[in-house]
Amino acid sequence: MASADAPTLTSEEAEVDLRDPSKDYELYKQTCQDLQRLMSEIQDLKSRGTKDSAAEIEDRRVQSCVHFMTLKKLNRLAHIRLKKGRDQTHEAKQKVDAYHLQLQNLLYEVMHLQKEITKCLEFKSKHEEIELVSVEEFYAEAPPEISKAGITRADPHQQTLSRLDWELEQRKRLAEKYKESLANKEKILKEIEVKKEYLSNLQPRLNSIMQASLPVQEYLSMPFEQVHKQYETATHLPPPLYVLFVQASAYGQACDKKLAVAIEGNVEEAKALCKPPEDSQDDESDSDAEEEQNTKRRRPTLGVQLDDKRKEMLKRHPLTVAIALKCKDGSVLHLTFYYLMNLNVMTVKAKVAAAAEMTAPISAGDLLSLDSLLSCLYPGDHGKRTPNPANQFQFDKVGILSLSDYVMELGHPYVWVQKLGGLHFPKDQPQSPVTADNSLSASHMERTMKLLKTRLESRMALHKQFASLEHGILPVSGECQSLFPAKIVSRLVKWSAVTYEDYLELPYTRDVVDAGLAEDTHLYYVALIERGTAKLQAAVALNPGYCAIPPVFSLCLNWNGERTNGNDDNIRAMESEVNVYYKELYGPKPGYQLLTNQLLRLCVVLDVYLETETHDNSVEGPKEFPQEKMCLRLVRGPSRLKPFKYNYPQGFFSHR
């Protein structure tokens, strides 16, 4: 069957080449129309249903079959044509791909050649980086054996080679000169070293002569050299610092031989500030013009401009005055005074040097700190605001809210510092400009120096006491033994520092806060005193002016409930023993032992409070706090007050 179909397929493929496709298309259309017509006639004959129509229907059916055969043949011829068209298209595509591949290869070769050409064109020789002499100078200076004018003028390549040879020759000559110059330099340096050695040997001799005269100056109490240098430097001080230096030196010579006054800082910068007004105005105008030019070039942001203006506003004078105050115990208070030139105010920084190495209690962290040591030396003078009313307008221009943000860097502008420099800023009658007054400084110098010494001595005494308090030890001096009974059972178990915010949150300190006795400039501590199951908490507000101003105690007793001055009159009486009758606890003057004596008095009154409490007979067993203190009366009055006053030498307790 397959062998019979093969010759037919071959004959039809051959026939496709001979037949016209358009005529086959016309034949296809005609055949479809005839087939459609025959189908319509067959339908009409069938619808009539006559006997003679059967033969006609059969005849038309045969014709339809012939037309179907024609359509099949046309279909086969169409498929053969389609196959041949695809084959021809595939062959043409292969040829196009081959040509495209050849084109890509040629384009790649062209691109490679272009890169090579570009490399060759962009190649730079090392000699192009060398700055050669001009051609005219080359022919004028180079010898004939190097210039070769007959050859090089016509050949640029040979000309370049000759110029390079001449450059090499010149550099060799310069190298020789450089070596000779180095040798001369070494020779001169050796001569300088010899002269320096001579001068250095001369300096010790001059120093020995000066040292030899020092004992004479000291013996006569006339340190002329040192004083001369100091006063020569003092001429460059600004007026407030100059007034401070003069008055402090005079006070040291007259009243305190241990007071040391010195000038520190960069003298050259201070000299640069001292210029004639005309020159300074011209310089200022020049600097303004230069600043305008720089502003046009740089165009800094607004934030950078404000920072620069703030720095200029808060600029300090390059010279400072340093004062060293020595106390009886050997500790030294170092004060450094600064002057803010644009604000016309003075500031101070403090530093303490102890006579011997001291242990640093945790609770004593703020005692000697810069922010606390000199605070409120005079009442209300905390040094966080500028005393000059004009400064606020200056701050508004540069965006400074308050000087308190800069005191750690610049120092504190206390009012007493201004007065030591002779500056006074009256608020009711402002005057401009404020100048330094010697008489104002002299009138405040002695009292301020005494207050500074007292402040340092009190802080050093507190520092030592805190070291004992943190270990639960309440030291009692011999002069204070008569203030307390021989046996005290209650003991201090805890002493720690707290912040101002933590102090305000304590419920039993509300009365002190409402009375205005607790400010953010004070130091705050919490003590815990125990006896058995009873625990007495004491919140202490320590005024910076201790011991002239006594600490204020607020008590809370935790025993059979919480007892404060609000619900227990005896707790209020215990607070009175340390807050009202504190003068009994001062001890020897100046009373630096007051805080320890107050804490010891709290231990005593806690013993009295617990021992005089009524015993609950329903509870079996011995009394928790047996009475060991001798009392004339256990309670008195409707409020049942206990006898907290200790009577010496009888040794009994009584009511006040």
Side-chain angles (χ1 to χ4, degrees):
M1 188 71 179
S3 61
D5 293 339
T8 304
L9 183 61
T10 305
S11 62
E12 287 181 350
E13 290 178 356
E15 188 179 355
V16 165
D17 297 333
L18 300 176
R19 293 174 68 95
D20 187 2
S22 60
K23 292 181 179 180
D24 286 346
Y25 178 65
E26 294 296 331
L27 179 60
Y28 167 73
K29 291 170 61 178
Q30 185 63 39
T31 304
C32 289
Q33 291 175 0
D34 293 343
L35 187 60
Q36 185 177 9
R37 178 180 54 78
L38 290 173
M39 291 298 174
S40 299
E41 291 176 356
I42 292 171
Q43 185 178 5
D44 292 338
L45 290 173
K46 284 185 178 182
S47 60
R48 292 174 189 172
T50 59
K51 295 180 180 180
D52 297 335
S53 61
E56 294 179 3
I57 291 172
E58 185 63 26
D59 181 50
R60 285 172 174 74
R61 185 178 293 166
V62 172
Q63 292 179 16
S64 298
C65 290
V66 174
H67 287 307
F68 272 115
M69 295 299 292
T70 303
L71 289 175
K72 286 185 177 181
K73 183 174 182 178
L74 291 173
N75 184 42
R76 287 195 301 274
L77 292 175
H79 280 289
I80 291 172
R81 286 192 184 96
L82 179 62
K83 182 177 180 301
K84 285 188 175 183
R86 287 178 177 174
D87 292 342
Q88 291 173 0
T89 302
H90 183 66
E91 291 176 2
K93 185 179 180 182
Q94 286 183 339
K95 290 181 180 180
V96 170
D97 290 342
Y99 290 147
H100 185 266
L101 181 61
Q102 292 178 4
L103 177 62
Q104 293 296 326
N105 291 336
L106 291 174
L107 291 176
Y108 180 77
E109 291 181 4
V110 170
M111 182 178 64
H112 177 70
L113 292 173
Q114 288 178 343
K115 287 183 179 179
E116 293 298 325
I117 292 171
T118 304
K119 286 183 180 179
C120 294
L121 293 176
E122 293 179 351
F123 174 76
K124 290 185 178 180
S125 177
K126 287 290 184 182
H127 80 277
E128 295 180 4
E129 301 176 0
I130 302 174
E131 186 177 354
L132 301 175
V133 297
S134 63
V135 177
E136 293 78 9
E137 187 177 352
F138 166 67
Y139 285 113
E141 297 180 358
E145 60 271 12
I146 293 180
S147 63
K148 300 176 185 178
I151 301 173
T152 57
R153 287 186 183 275
D155 189 351
H157 177 65
Q158 291 295 330
Q159 186 184 70
T160 302
L161 293 177
S162 299
R163 292 174 68 189
L164 290 172
D165 291 339
W166 175 237
E167 182 71 21
L168 177 62
E169 184 67 24
Q170 285 183 315
R171 293 195 177 193
K172 287 181 179 179
R173 295 176 183 176
L174 291 175
E176 292 295 330
K177 290 183 179 180
Y178 175 70
K179 290 181 180 179
E180 294 177 1
S181 299
L182 284 180
N184 291 333
K185 179 183 176 182
E186 293 294 331
K187 182 179 179 181
I188 294 172
L189 287 175
K190 288 182 180 179
E191 293 178 357
I192 292 174
E193 289 297 328
V194 172
K195 293 180 179 179
K196 281 185 177 180
E197 185 178 358
Y198 172 76
L199 293 175
S200 61
N201 293 332
L202 181 63
Q203 184 65 35
R205 297 181 182 179
L206 296 176
N207 292 338
S208 61
I209 295 174
M210 296 300 298
Q211 290 294 329
S213 65
L214 289 179
V216 179
Q217 296 180 24
E218 293 178 0
Y219 179 76
L220 299 176
S221 298
M222 293 183 294
F224 297 115
E225 182 183 3
Q226 184 179 359
V227 172
H228 176 71
K229 289 181 179 179
Q230 286 286 305
Y231 276 95
E232 183 179 355
T233 307
T235 57
H236 304 292
L237 287 172
L241 289 182
Y242 181 81
V243 169
L244 171 64
F245 174 75
V246 172
Q247 295 299 328
S249 300
Y251 173 78
Q253 294 175 6
C255 305
D256 189 354
K257 300 296 183 181
K258 296 181 179 179
L259 182 71
V261 185
I263 300 174
E264 300 175 352
N266 194 323
V267 181
E268 297 301 325
E269 291 185 12
K271 290 180 180 179
L273 293 175
C274 300
K275 293 182 179 179
E278 294 80 5
D279 294 344
S280 62
Q281 290 177 359
D282 294 340
D283 293 343
E284 185 176 355
S285 61
D286 295 341
S287 63
D288 291 341
E290 184 179 354
E291 184 177 356
E292 290 179 1
Q293 294 178 358
N294 293 335
T295 304
K296 292 180 180 178
R297 290 196 301 266
R298 290 182 280 124
R299 294 185 180 274
T301 61
L302 182 61
V304 174
Q305 290 179 347
L306 281 177
D307 288 340
D308 294 340
K309 289 181 179 179
R310 291 190 192 107
K311 291 179 181 178
E312 183 64 25
M313 180 72 67
L314 303 175
K315 188 176 181 181
R316 297 187 302 201
H317 194 276
L319 293 180
T320 62
V321 174
I323 296 178
L325 276 169
K326 295 183 180 179
C327 298
K328 296 179 180 178
D329 59 356
S331 57
V332 183
L333 176 61
H334 296 277
L335 300 174
T336 305
F337 294 86
Y338 303 90
Y339 178 65
L340 306 183
M341 297 181 289
N342 294 317
L343 300 181
N344 193 29
V345 295
M346 291 174 57
T347 61
V348 65
K349 286 186 177 181
K351 183 180 179 182
V352 177
E357 187 176 356
M358 301 171 57
T359 58
I362 299 175
S363 57
D366 292 333
L367 284 178
L368 302 178
S369 67
L370 176 62
D371 198 33
S372 168
L373 180 59
L374 303 180
S375 178
C376 298
L377 190 67
Y378 289 88
D381 188 9
H382 49 71
K384 294 182 179 179
R385 291 191 299 267
T386 172
N388 188 353
N391 294 158
Q392 192 58 49
F393 300 99
Q394 295 174 285
F395 292 161
D396 293 340
K397 292 182 179 179
V398 297
I400 297 178
L401 298 178
S402 174
L403 191 63
S404 60
D405 300 330
Y406 303 90
V407 293
M408 296 306 295
E409 177 185 358
L410 302 175
H412 289 73
Y414 298 109
V415 176
W416 60 265
V417 175
Q418 317 309 316
K419 292 182 178 180
L420 290 185
L423 297 176
H424 178 55
F425 303 97
K427 297 182 180 180
D428 51 349
Q429 295 178 353
Q431 61 183 51
S432 178
V434 176
T435 56
D437 184 6
N438 272 290
S439 60
L440 178 64
S441 175
S443 62
H444 286 80
M445 183 64 65
E446 183 175 4
R447 185 186 177 195
T448 302
M449 291 300 168
K450 290 181 178 179
L451 287 175
L452 288 171
K453 276 190 176 183
T454 303
R455 174 64 61 87
L456 178 60
E457 291 172 354
S458 66
R459 291 298 174 92
M460 296 301 291
L462 284 174
H463 195 280
K464 294 178 182 178
Q465 293 177 51
F466 284 4
S468 300
L469 296 180
E470 287 188 0
H471 292 85
I473 301 173
L474 293 171
V476 183
S477 61
E479 296 87 347
C480 299
Q481 292 288 347
S482 60
L483 301 176
F484 311 103
K487 183 177 181 181
I488 302 175
V489 182
S490 299
R491 58 190 180 87
L492 177 69
V493 297
K494 182 181 178 182
W495 174 264
S496 61
V498 294
T499 62
Y500 178 58
E501 291 75 14
D502 294 339
Y503 181 86
L504 295 179
E505 292 178 0
L506 296 175
Y508 53 91
T509 61
R510 179 56 53 193
D511 294 343
V512 177
V513 175
D514 293 342
L517 299 177
E519 300 178 0
D520 58 351
T521 56
H522 293 185
L523 303 175
Y524 297 96
Y525 303 91
V526 172
L528 180 61
I529 300 174
E530 290 185 358
R531 178 178 177 180
T533 59
K535 296 182 179 180
L536 179 64
Q537 292 182 350
V540 184
L542 188 66
N543 191 287
Y546 176 90
C547 60
I549 303 176
V552 178
F553 285 74
S554 301
L555 305 180
C556 177
L557 177 62
N558 291 299
W559 180 64
N560 294 335
E562 187 175 281
R563 310 183 185 190
T564 64
N565 59 8
N567 57 21
D568 192 333
D569 291 335
N570 282 296
I571 297 297
R572 183 181 294 108
M574 292 169 65
E575 291 179 349
S576 299
E577 287 295 322
V578 290
N579 292 335
V580 178
Y581 305 109
Y582 64 89
K583 292 184 179 179
E584 300 175 0
L585 304 173
Y586 260 123
K589 291 185 178 181
Y592 296 145
Q593 197 71 17
L594 174 61
L595 177 63
T596 302
N597 291 344
Q598 286 177 307
L599 289 171
L600 201 56
R601 172 64 65 87
L602 283 180
C603 293
V604 173
V605 296
L606 179 61
D607 284 346
V608 175
Y609 183 97
L610 297 175
E611 292 175 11
T612 55
E613 276 292 292
T614 305
H615 180 63
D616 189 359
N617 296 324
S618 62
V619 180
E620 297 182 356
K623 193 175 182 181
E624 182 181 3
F625 304 111
Q627 184 174 351
E628 298 178 354
K629 306 291 187 297
M630 185 172 60
C631 304
L632 296 181
R633 294 175 60 184
L634 297 182
V635 293
R636 186 182 68 179
S639 57
R640 313 292 289 174
L641 292 180
K642 301 176 183 295
F644 292 123
K645 180 182 179 182
Y646 177 67
N647 294 272
Y648 179 85
Q650 293 84 1
F652 63 85
F653 288 84
S654 63
H655 292 84
R656 290 192 180 273

